């Protein structure tokens, strides 16, 4: 049974930092693209960043220069370091896994999802 478990969310002031973690089990981690998505109230789930097993990364324009995705294949864990947080970054952040090496920004292309972790940014 595949499980993705996120942690690290919380309340932070604007300009602050948080580090999200997602621990995966029940899958061969290195065979998956790992992604982060977020969903704010009343909005669609949107792509944030993704990482191939080999280390190449992708992120949406709104977080470039502020968020960094990384992964530790030995620990089956993917991270999202979020710096210079803005109120508009507030959302539930979801970890997702997609079998293969193709990175996509569409949530429907991902096979497995975590339960989400709340990020709140106060202004």
């Amino acid at each position: 049974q595949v499980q993705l478990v996120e942690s690290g969310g919380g309340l932070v002031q604007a300009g602050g930092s948080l580090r999200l973690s997602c621990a995966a089990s029940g899958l061969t981690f290195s065979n998956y693209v790992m992604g982060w998505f977020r969903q704010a109230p009343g909005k669609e789930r949107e792509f944030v960043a993704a990482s191939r097993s080999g280390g190449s990364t992708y992120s949406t324009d709104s977080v470039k220069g502020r968020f960094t995705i990384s992964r530790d294949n030995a620990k089956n864990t993917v991270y999202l370091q979020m710096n210079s947080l803005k109120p508009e970054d507030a959302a539930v952040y979801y970890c997702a896994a997609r079998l293969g090496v193709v990175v996509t920004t569409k949530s429907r292309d991902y096979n497995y999802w975590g339960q989400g972790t709340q990020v709140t940014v106060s202004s």
Side-chain angles (χ1 to χ4, degrees), residues 6-53:
E6 301 101 332
S7 60
L11 171 64
V12 64
Q13 287 189 332
S17 298
L18 282 174
R19 188 194 195 203
L20 305 183
S21 299
C22 171
S25 60
L27 52 71
T28 303
F29 189 73
S30 58
N31 289 349
Y32 285 78
V33 169
M34 297 301 298
W36 287 97
F37 288 74
R38 64 187 180 187
Q39 188 167 19
K43 294 188 176 182
E44 291 188 354
R45 192 168 297 189
E46 66 171 351
F47 172 82
V48 177
S51 170
R52 286 196 179 115
S53 179

Side-chain angles (χ1 to χ4, degrees), residues 79-98:
Y79 306 96
L80 186 67
Q81 178 66 45
M82 305 187 295
N83 299 328
S84 302
L85 281 159
K86 304 176 181 180
E88 52 264 42
D89 295 318
V92 177
Y93 281 71
Y94 296 91
C95 172
R98 184 178 192 276

